[in-house]
Amino acid sequence: MGLRQRLGRGRRAGGFAPQEITVKLSIPFVGEISGTWEPVDAEREAAWELYVELATRISVVELGEDEGLLREALSSLYTVFATTREILRRYGPAVAPRVAPGKVTFGVLAVNVLNLSIRPLLSKWHPLLTAHEATRGTSVDPVAHERRWARSAELRAEIESVRKVLLSLAQALNEVAGVGDLITVRLPDQGARSAAGTS
C-alpha cells in the first residue's frame, strides 16, 4: 500500500493523526482501490475499531504450510465480515460521505474489501471445505483430514492473498487512527514477529 500523509492534530488521545493519507489497496483479480482519504472524527473512531478487530484475529496472521486450520481462518474472516458491517451500521453515513473523484472514505474502503476480497473467498471456499469435512470418518483426526485435502494448498494461497489485502487496509486504519502498531511486535534481537491473534 502506498502511503502519503499530511499531519494534523487528531481527536484520538490528543495526539497527532493525519489530516490526509493516500491509500492504495491491490486486490487480486480485481485491481486497485486508491485515492486520498481525508478522515473526519467518526472515520477515525471507526478506523480504530476495525483496526483492533484486524489486529486481534488470525485473519492477518500468516499461515505456514503446516500451521493452523483452514476452517479457523475462514471462521475468522466471517467474523471480520460481520464486525465490519456492524461498525458501518453503527457509525452510519458519517463514515461514508460523498466525496470528489479520487477521494476515498472509511465506508468505501471497508465495503470494497468485504465485497471484492473477503466475500468471494468465503462464497467459493466455505461450501467446498464443508463438503470435504463431511467425508471425515469419526475416528479420523480433523487436522490430519484437512491437511490431506487435495485443495488445501490452493485455499491457503487464496487466504494468503486476502491476508495481504487486510494488512494493507490495517496499515491505512492504523495511520488514520493515529495509534501505535498492534500487529507487528518488534522484540529486542528477535526481529519482527506477527502478534498472536484469536480466532
Side-chain angles (χ1 to χ4, degrees):
M1 181 190 76
L3 193 65
R4 175 181 58 80
Q5 60 177 285
R6 183 163 51 90
L7 292 177
R9 186 164 293 279
R11 190 178 66 162
R12 285 203 59 79
F16 283 96
Q19 292 179 332
E20 176 186 292
I21 68 170
T22 300
V23 180
K24 185 189 297 183
L25 301 180
S26 296
I27 299 183
F29 311 113
V30 173
E32 251 180 31
I33 300 169
S34 61
T36 302
W37 185 5
E38 298 175 7
V40 297
D41 284 342
E43 290 180 287
R44 294 184 198 285
E45 297 296 328
W48 165 245
E49 288 191 31
L50 185 53
Y51 180 66
V52 168
E53 178 71 13
L54 295 177
T56 57
R57 299 223 159 261
I58 63 173
S59 50
V60 296
V61 177
E62 184 174 4
L63 280 181
E65 188 176 336
D66 295 316
E67 296 176 346
L69 283 172
L70 298 173
R71 171 56 64 199
E72 287 182 354
L74 290 185
S75 296
S76 182
L77 289 169
Y78 267 112
T79 303
V80 168
F81 200 101
T83 301
T84 303
R85 285 189 304 190
E86 194 265 324
I87 291 170
L88 287 165
R89 285 194 195 104
R90 182 159 13 98
Y91 284 94
V95 297
R98 291 182 180 177
V99 292
K103 306 278 187 182
V104 296
T105 64
F106 176 90
V108 164
L109 295 173
V111 169
N112 276 284
V113 167
L114 291 185
N115 288 337
L116 300 178
S117 189
I118 298 178
R119 185 192 296 274
L121 180 123
L122 295 177
S123 297
K124 174 183 177 180
W125 288 102
H126 174 69
L128 293 173
L129 182 55
T130 299
H132 173 70
E133 290 168 337
T135 67
R136 181 176 69 87
T138 55
S139 61
V140 178
D141 174 66
V143 176
H145 183 70
E146 185 180 277
R147 290 183 182 163
R148 283 198 297 264
W149 187 31
R151 302 194 71 177
S152 63
E154 187 182 352
L155 174 51
R156 281 179 182 271
E158 292 200 26
I159 288 172
E160 175 62 12
S161 292
V162 171
R163 184 187 75 86
K164 289 177 179 176
V165 173
L166 291 176
L167 281 174
S168 291
L169 175 61
Q171 183 183 355
L173 298 172
N174 171 270
E175 293 293 333
V176 163
V179 296
D181 186 353
L182 301 179
I183 294 176
T184 303
V185 177
R186 298 190 183 279
L187 300 175
D189 303 322
Q190 294 182 10
R193 292 185 177 182
S194 291
T198 62
S199 63

